[in-house]
């Protein structure tokens, strides 16, 4: 990824910044749309610090922000560069999580076998946590529906009293005339004095 800042690249139109290159490419029309990644992209070969490099610019949707990728491999297509960067990004996120959350690289042993054991244990922990997260976060649409509807059903006043009585240990004897539980007189609190 590159920043779309003030860095100048030597192009066929002179020295331009990334944003100026994007505007030129949009005017001339070499931008393409990729259905696989649902993005608009354009490619250009430029010189940067005396080296010929290929710039890929991409954005998602009409109002998306442009992102830039830089590579020295001039035979690389946009699809291959995008997939390579996605794999690299996944690896970087995993490495960051291991360092921050699982103390990867903090083993102070001077023995090589201890370092290998620490690395192996950290990777095992990461794999187990990822597997648990994958299974715990998975919910079907039916489960989500049931979860949201249970919180939205409003109980009637008599049902709330019945639930309250049952939680306090009183039995609920339902008859044809009453729907609640039989509450002894000593259960009813006295009126509050002002």
């Amino acid at each position: 990824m590159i920043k779309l800042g003030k860095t100048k690249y030597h192009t066929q139109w002179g020295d331009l910044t990334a944003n100026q290159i994007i505007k030129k490419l949009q005017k001339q029309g070499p931008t393409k749309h990729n259905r696989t990644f649902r993005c608009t992209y354009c490619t250009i070969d430029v010189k940067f610090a005396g080296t010929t490099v290929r710039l890929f610019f991409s954005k998602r949707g009409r109002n998306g922000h442009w992102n830039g990728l830089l590579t020295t491999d001039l035979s690389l297509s946009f699809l291959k560069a995008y997939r390579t960067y996605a794999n690299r990004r996944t690896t970087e996120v995993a490495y960051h999580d291991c360092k921050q959350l699982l103390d990867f690289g903090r083993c102070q042993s001077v023995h090589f076998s201890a370092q290998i054991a620490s690395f192996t244990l950290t990777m095992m922990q990461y794999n187990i946590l990822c597997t648990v997260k994958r299974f715990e976060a998975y919910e079907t649409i039916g489960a989500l529906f049931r979860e949201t509807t249970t919180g939205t059903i409003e109980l009637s006043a008599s049902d709330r009293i019945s639930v309250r009585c049952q939680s306090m240990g009183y039995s609920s004897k339902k008859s044809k005339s009453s729907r609640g539980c039989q509450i002894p007189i000593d259960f009813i609190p006295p009126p509050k004095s002002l």
Side-chain angles (χ1 to χ4, degrees):
M1 276 308 235
I2 60 169
K3 283 187 177 180
L4 303 181
K6 298 178 182 178
T7 305
K8 300 268 186 177
Y9 302 96
H10 183 70
T11 65
Q12 57 201 14
W13 306 293
D15 291 341
L16 301 173
T17 64
N19 286 322
Q20 292 169 341
I21 293 171
I22 291 169
K23 286 178 185 174
K24 287 275 190 185
L25 291 173
Q26 281 181 320
K27 281 183 184 177
Q28 291 189 354
T31 58
K32 299 176 185 171
H33 186 74
N34 187 316
R35 286 186 177 194
T36 307
F37 298 122
R38 295 189 200 121
C39 66
T40 303
Y41 72 95
C42 52
T43 305
I44 187 170
D45 293 338
V46 297
K47 281 206 179 269
F48 177 67
T51 306
T52 304
V53 295
R54 179 166 285 180
L55 291 176
F56 298 103
F57 298 106
S58 65
K59 74 172 183 172
R60 288 184 172 236
R62 290 185 183 268
N63 299 325
H65 297 288
W66 285 97
N67 297 313
L69 286 172
L70 181 139
T71 181
T72 55
D73 185 1
L74 301 179
S75 64
L76 203 60
S77 68
F78 173 73
L79 294 173
K80 181 75 173 162
Y82 195 90
R83 286 188 179 121
T84 303
Y85 182 73
N87 288 339
R88 181 174 172 245
R89 175 84 176 134
T90 304
T91 306
E92 286 177 358
V93 168
Y95 181 72
H96 179 267
D97 288 345
C98 285
K99 280 192 74 137
Q100 294 293 318
L101 304 174
L102 302 175
D103 294 333
F104 177 65
R106 301 230 175 138
C107 178
Q108 296 181 356
S109 178
V110 293
H111 296 290
F112 180 71
S113 58
Q115 293 287 338
I116 296 296
S118 174
F119 173 78
T120 304
L121 288 173
T122 303
M123 290 301 119
M124 287 173 59
Q125 286 176 337
Y126 182 77
N127 286 336
I128 291 169
L129 290 172
C130 284
T131 304
V132 168
K133 180 182 176 190
R134 186 174 298 140
F135 285 114
E136 290 290 321
Y138 178 77
E139 283 192 67
T140 62
I141 297 296
L144 289 173
F145 179 74
R146 279 191 294 278
E147 183 179 317
T148 55
T149 55
T150 55
T152 59
I153 296 174
E154 183 68 31
L155 296 175
S156 66
S158 60
D159 290 335
R160 283 185 280 181
I161 292 173
S162 175
V163 168
R164 171 89 178 180
C165 291
Q166 288 174 358
S167 68
M168 297 184 82
Y170 295 105
S171 65
S172 61
K173 297 180 182 175
K174 296 196 175 195
S175 65
K176 292 181 183 177
S177 61
S178 68
R179 285 190 49 174
C181 60
Q182 295 178 351
I183 303 172
I185 297 295
D186 59 348
F187 175 74
I188 299 172
K192 292 181 181 178
S193 59
L194 299 174

